[in-house]
Amino acid sequence: MLGLNCKQVVARSSALIDGELPFWEALQLRLHMAVCKGCTAFVHQMRVTRSLTLAAGQATPDDDAALAAVLARLASEGRDAG
Amino acid sequence: MPGIGSDREQVRALIAGDRAAFAQLFRQHNAAMVRVATGITGSRAVAEEVTQDAWVAVLKHIAGFEERSSLAGWIFTILVNRARSRARVEGRSVSFDAGGEDNSLAAAFDGRGHWKDTPALWEEITPDRIVAGRRMLDVVTAAIEALPPGQRAVMVLRGQQGLEAEEVCAILGINEGNMRVMLHRARLAVRAAIDRLER
């Protein structure tokens, strides 16, 4: 199917969504995706995965106890952060 | 990720002993540091100790930060070096290699490399649902925590903390090709976990 098969598109999908593919290679993938619903869906899934990964990293845990422990240790070792 | 300009301001504040600046930096990176260190040490409790050690080292040596990397890159370098040393002391061998060929999707293709079954479009996953649906983010976090150490570190540093590719490579001592392979494999594993939830 237009040069690349689906397996080859999947192997390059991360590089595609990260904008790291050379122009002609990215064009080959886009031409393949124009006629392949499976690869279009897969690349969409990889974009969603990237967004969810970022969102999961931004969830703020309750770090107050850990922060207090570091500050206490610094104070006891003679280097106060405040 | 903060740029060098804001790094400089943060460093100046830390040297001056600004507690609020430290708290902000801590909240920005601590959870990610624990996640990376847990992958390397194999223990959440040990990772928390190592992360605390790393923070103490950061503040003790902050005046020596030379801007050869971003502040985040410098902090994670200290963390990874400490986590690897601790793992070595405990007889744990940690490799950040990409490993052999990835076969996680091998069964998805026919002999000509075309899909056997078309992947779903994930139409149910919308930005609103992502924000509201804590469970989805928990699934993603659990999938990241189940990754091998190298993939987990690359996913956290590049995919969550937004460090530059060269910086991630320098921190982990890997080349850019390996880093891209690990990031791709990590994403495939997380994608598979989300897909299981969607079915």
Side-chain angles (χ1 to χ4, degrees):
Chain A
M1 196 185 284
L2 292 173
L4 294 173
N5 65 31
C6 303
K7 195 174 177 181
Q8 290 167 324
V9 170
V10 163
R12 292 159 177 76
S13 55
S14 272
L16 178 73
I17 66 173
D18 289 337
E20 290 169 345
L21 282 183
F23 176 79
W24 289 110
E25 207 172 341
L27 184 64
Q28 267 191 306
L29 260 75
R30 291 190 194 287
L31 286 172
H32 175 104
M33 285 161 58
V35 293
C36 179
K37 281 184 184 170
C39 286
T40 301
F42 185 85
V43 170
H44 170 72
Q45 289 182 351
M46 289 295 270
R47 286 188 200 280
V48 172
T49 300
R50 185 179 61 175
S51 300
L52 286 172
T53 298
L54 187 62
Q58 287 166 346
T60 38
D62 183 8
D63 279 335
D64 288 352
L67 175 60
V70 172
L71 291 173
R73 206 172 127 188
L74 283 163
S76 74
E77 292 180 18
R79 166 57 165 104
D80 195 356
Chain B
M1 192 184 73
I4 291 293
S6 55
D7 274 1
R8 200 167 287 166
E9 286 163 25
Q10 273 184 308
V11 169
R12 216 173 281 144
L14 292 174
I15 291 171
D18 183 333
R19 191 179 288 246
F22 177 64
Q24 187 190 0
L25 188 70
F26 185 91
R27 295 205 170 93
Q28 203 176 336
H29 299 302
N30 188 65
M33 290 166 73
V34 172
R35 229 171 283 144
V36 170
T38 304
I40 297 170
T41 62
S43 154
R44 169 109 192 168
V46 172
E48 284 173 355
E49 274 177 40
V50 167
T51 302
Q52 191 185 103
D53 289 346
W55 278 121
V56 171
V58 164
L59 280 183
K60 279 186 176 167
H61 301 291
I62 190 67
F65 172 65
E66 291 174 342
E67 294 183 10
R68 281 183 292 194
S69 65
S70 68
L71 180 58
W74 184 67
I75 292 170
F76 277 99
T77 300
I78 291 172
L79 174 83
V80 168
N81 288 342
R82 282 172 182 261
R84 291 182 102 161
S85 300
R86 181 67 179 264
R88 263 196 303 275
V89 166
E90 296 188 356
R92 185 179 156 87
S93 132
V94 180
S95 163
F96 290 145
D97 289 344
E101 199 186 342
D102 176 66
N103 292 314
S104 61
L105 278 171
F109 302 106
D110 63 21
R112 292 180 305 140
H114 296 156
W115 293 106
K116 285 184 193 162
D117 296 308
T118 304
L121 251 181
W122 285 4
E123 286 170 319
E124 296 299 309
I125 305 180
T126 62
D128 287 349
R129 197 177 153 201
I130 291 168
V131 172
R134 182 62 237 174
R135 184 165 172 237
M136 182 72 79
L137 297 185
D138 288 343
V139 165
V140 170
T141 298
I144 293 171
E145 286 176 357
L147 293 170
Q151 289 183 28
R152 182 202 292 227
V154 169
M155 197 65 154
V156 173
L157 297 175
R158 184 89 177 113
Q160 294 190 319
Q161 296 297 103
L163 266 64
E164 296 296 333
E166 313 85 74
E167 236 173 11
V168 175
C169 292
I171 291 167
L172 301 178
I174 56 177
N175 65 41
E176 217 159 305
N178 262 350
M179 193 219 60
R180 293 213 165 92
V181 168
M182 284 197 274
L183 181 62
H184 181 62
R185 289 180 182 172
R187 278 195 189 135
L188 289 180
V190 174
R191 185 208 74 90
I194 300 167
D195 201 40
R196 282 193 291 276
L197 190 69
E198 280 301 289
R199 283 173 193 273

